[in-house]
Amino acid sequence: MRFRTLSELESLCRNESLTIAELMIAEQARETDEPAEAVIRQMSGYYQVMKEAVSKGLAAGTQSRSGITGGDAHRVNEYVLAGEPSVGEWAGKALAYALSVSEVNASMGRIVATPTAGSCGIIPGVFVSSQERFGWSDEKLVQGLFAAGAIGYVIANNSFISGAEGGCQAEVGSAIGMAAGALVELRGGTPAQAVHAVGIALKNTLGLICDPVAGLVEVPCIIRNGLGAVNALAAADMALAGVRSVIPSDEVIGVMYEVGAKMPMEHRETALGGLAATPTGLKLTEQLKRMKK
Amino acid sequence: MRFKHVFSIIGPVMVGPSSSHTAGAARIGRVSRQMLGCSPEEAVITLYGSFAETYSGHGTDLAIIGGLLDFDTDDARIPEAFAEAERLGMKYDIRVGTGIMPHPNFAEITVKGGGREATVQGASIGGGNIEIHSINGFDAGCTGNYPTLVIAHHDQVGVVAAITNTVSAAGLNIGFMNVARKARSGDAMTVIEGDRVPSGELVEALRRLTSIENVSIIDVR
């Protein structure tokens, strides 16, 4: 890849008059020595998996393997359809769809890691709800996935994308930044605006710990995916309105690394601290252990 | 750059619930099977760090057994991997290890079968991506992102040159390469990540070289 940072990505796009998605497709095709069509075909397959996961999880019966979670996507979707959600209809749908994919993941269903399974709801939540809202083609959304991938590639190589290494900021935080930047591009924003959206989004998740109750990707992961999708919409709106990330996005990624590297082991996906170690978190863990026996 | 391309960020397609504890774990299992070169009859799996603390909830144990059975990350049989292993007569022992390991998500897998044995140590670094730290005690330093040749040989003058000449004659470009030895003039291992799957002819040509012990292919893309 010819870029290591978001600022390099942005200047390449500017100098070559390409969108982030177009640049990413060309770079990927060169890296794997395949025609661009083959690379696009692979990503199109991934988008279909995301859409299937959205519809699967909205059905009433979704239940996680542990039984702790399930059915929230259905609940929220019904509520959004029935009335006046405070965040508005479309953010409400992004919320429901993100919850849906995360619930499918918790039931050991089929999803796409974006960038991880713990954060797999955010991009589909934003993308599928925006597709419905704006009447976009699948092809357009597939372009958006390449833009999201380019942003994630920079975050992953300069910081982390796993909760065990850098906490939830590395998973849910990265996914929100990727979704926000991609949405800016899908809505006609410039690469520079997309990069600002990433910084705006990431600042709001710095320090977020990874503290899954009983070590399961359920509590609080599923809810964080739902709220993450709504945050991504808001960060994209700010960037499209012309708000800039005063601290450049690459420097914010550097802060994510700094904070993650100093995060105690208890708060990095070991289930030994945070919400996992609350009285209720411990009680649920005990109950599950007894169920297994 | 730990992450090489766009599909290590968007992807893999997988069964949940965790890309590092489920999908990455399945891949480490699959690498172990490929190093053995056949279906394992026995497996000892030792989990460290976050793997050790949370494997049950994430299905890490199921995923590694699934990988040992050659299941890809999106194989719907992963949740039933224990039953499948039993049906095929594969014995397995899952242990929790202690001590400082190079990564918080770390596993060591020893497999036996067909009269052979292989040991793989790997880390799951996020989003289903892995790093293979060692193979049979040699530093490996490969990622499973590319078709990989693993060549066991003796440490002596000209062996690495003969290997790269043979690979070059087959028209295979080397992306990344790692050579390790246990002792001077002792056993050594060369790991080559290439741009496409090595042909059967190339593997045979490598096996015919002097001082080559064994040639295996890892392909878990």
Side-chain angles (χ1 to χ4, degrees):
Chain A
M1 304 292 160
R2 286 185 295 154
F3 58 94
R4 294 173 54 96
T5 64
L6 291 178
S7 105
E8 285 170 10
L9 174 66
E10 191 265 324
S11 58
L12 277 173
C13 288
R14 188 159 25 87
N15 295 339
E16 298 175 20
S17 302
L18 294 172
T19 63
I20 295 175
E22 287 165 347
L23 183 88
M24 187 71 249
I25 291 167
E27 290 291 307
Q28 178 67 22
R30 186 180 10 238
E31 176 63 28
T32 53
D33 194 25
E34 285 174 304
E37 300 74 53
V39 170
I40 293 171
R41 205 177 314 122
Q42 182 171 353
M43 196 66 96
S44 306
Y46 286 8
Y47 190 57
Q48 294 313 314
V49 175
M50 292 181 200
K51 290 212 291 191
E52 282 162 24
V54 166
S55 10
K56 192 174 168 200
L58 290 178
T62 312
Q63 190 84 59
S64 70
R65 273 206 323 151
S66 72
I68 295 180
T69 56
D72 286 343
H74 177 73
R75 262 175 221 115
V76 171
N77 197 49
E78 293 296 308
Y79 169 79
V80 169
L81 293 175
E84 288 271 335
S86 306
V87 292
E89 180 190 359
W90 291 106
K93 283 194 176 168
L95 169 64
Y97 295 0
L99 292 172
S100 175
V101 176
S102 283
E103 287 185 345
V104 168
N105 179 57
S107 69
M108 282 191 106
R110 208 157 161 261
I111 54 93
V112 185
T114 52
T116 67
S119 57
C120 69
I122 292 162
I123 288 177
V126 169
F127 276 41
V128 176
S129 63
S130 297
Q131 179 171 31
E132 284 178 16
R133 179 177 188 179
F134 299 111
W136 290 334
S137 66
D138 280 2
E139 289 72 26
K140 184 175 170 83
L141 277 300
V142 170
Q143 294 275 321
L145 288 178
F146 281 102
I151 294 162
Y153 171 82
V154 171
I155 298 174
N157 281 312
N158 291 290
S159 184
F160 336 80
I161 53 165
S162 82
E165 287 175 301
C168 191
Q169 57 166 2
E171 298 204 24
V172 160
S174 299
I176 299 172
M178 290 159 64
L183 183 59
V184 167
E185 180 153 297
L186 286 167
R187 298 206 63 193
T190 63
Q193 286 175 314
V195 167
H196 279 298
V198 178
I200 290 168
L202 290 183
K203 280 179 205 153
N204 198 42
T205 48
L206 287 174
L208 194 62
I209 61 173
C210 179
D211 50 353
V213 170
L216 301 166
V217 189
E218 297 190 38
V219 178
C221 322
I222 295 173
I223 278 174
R224 285 187 187 156
N225 271 265
L227 293 173
V230 178
N231 270 356
L233 299 179
D237 274 340
M238 286 172 82
L240 284 165
V243 176
R244 299 162 55 83
S245 178
V246 173
I247 306 298
S249 301
D250 285 314
E251 294 180 26
V252 181
I253 293 170
V255 177
M256 190 210 275
Y257 182 79
E258 175 204 322
V259 171
K262 288 180 178 167
M263 204 174 267
M265 175 271 276
E266 286 80 0
H267 296 157
R268 285 186 286 116
E269 209 174 349
T270 51
L272 298 173
L275 296 167
T278 55
T280 304
L282 293 171
K283 201 168 81 188
L284 285 167
T285 310
E286 272 310 305
Q287 277 172 11
L288 286 173
K289 273 190 193 150
R290 274 203 299 277
M291 260 169 55
K292 278 213 151 169
K293 283 171 192 162
Chain B
M1 305 300 261
R2 292 198 298 161
F3 298 86
K4 308 291 186 204
H5 56 75
V6 76
F7 295 116
S8 51
I9 305 299
I10 307 289
V13 177
M14 54 168 286
V15 298
S18 166
S19 46
S20 47
H21 291 68
T22 318
R27 276 182 166 158
I28 297 171
R30 221 162 149 230
V31 167
S32 311
R33 176 196 173 99
Q34 293 178 356
M35 284 315 304
L36 187 65
C38 65
S39 194
E41 290 150 20
E42 284 174 49
V44 177
I45 297 147
T46 312
L47 304 171
Y48 296 89
S50 169
F51 265 11
E53 299 291 346
T54 66
Y55 72 92
S56 174
H58 284 131
T60 308
D61 43 2
L62 289 166
I64 290 181
I65 301 292
L68 292 174
L69 296 168
D70 211 23
F71 297 172
D72 204 347
T73 55
D74 67 338
D75 198 309
R77 294 172 297 175
I78 287 179
E80 324 302 333
F82 290 162
E84 191 66 11
E86 234 155 77
R87 199 178 66 77
L88 296 170
M90 187 181 97
K91 290 194 208 122
Y92 57 87
D93 183 9
I94 293 161
R95 300 175 184 171
V96 168
T98 51
I100 308 287
M101 285 294 149
H103 190 277
N105 288 329
F106 200 83
E108 178 179 281
I109 303 173
T110 298
V111 278
K112 290 181 191 166
R116 291 184 300 274
E117 184 175 324
T119 298
V120 168
Q121 289 188 325
S124 184
I125 63 169
N129 298 282
I130 59 170
E131 283 169 355
I132 299 301
H133 284 245
S134 80
I135 296 172
N136 299 334
F138 295 98
D139 291 345
C142 58
T143 61
N145 278 330
Y146 304 88
T148 305
L149 274 166
V150 180
I151 303 160
H153 55 90
H154 295 297
D155 176 49
Q156 69 185 57
V157 173
V159 179
V160 174
I163 291 170
T164 54
N165 280 336
T166 309
V167 170
S168 151
L172 176 63
N173 183 46
I174 297 176
F176 303 88
M177 178 162 151
N178 197 57
V179 183
R181 67 179 183 193
K182 285 185 180 165
R184 189 164 170 168
S185 306
D187 292 331
M189 179 174 275
T190 294
V191 178
I192 292 173
E193 296 184 299
D195 285 339
R196 55 183 169 73
V197 182
S199 65
E201 290 83 41
L202 170 57
V203 172
E204 279 316 306
L206 287 167
R207 286 194 174 128
R208 280 197 300 273
L209 296 173
T210 54
S211 304
I212 300 289
E213 289 276 299
N214 194 20
V215 180
S216 314
I217 294 175
I218 296 172
D219 191 2
V220 293
R221 291 167 300 155

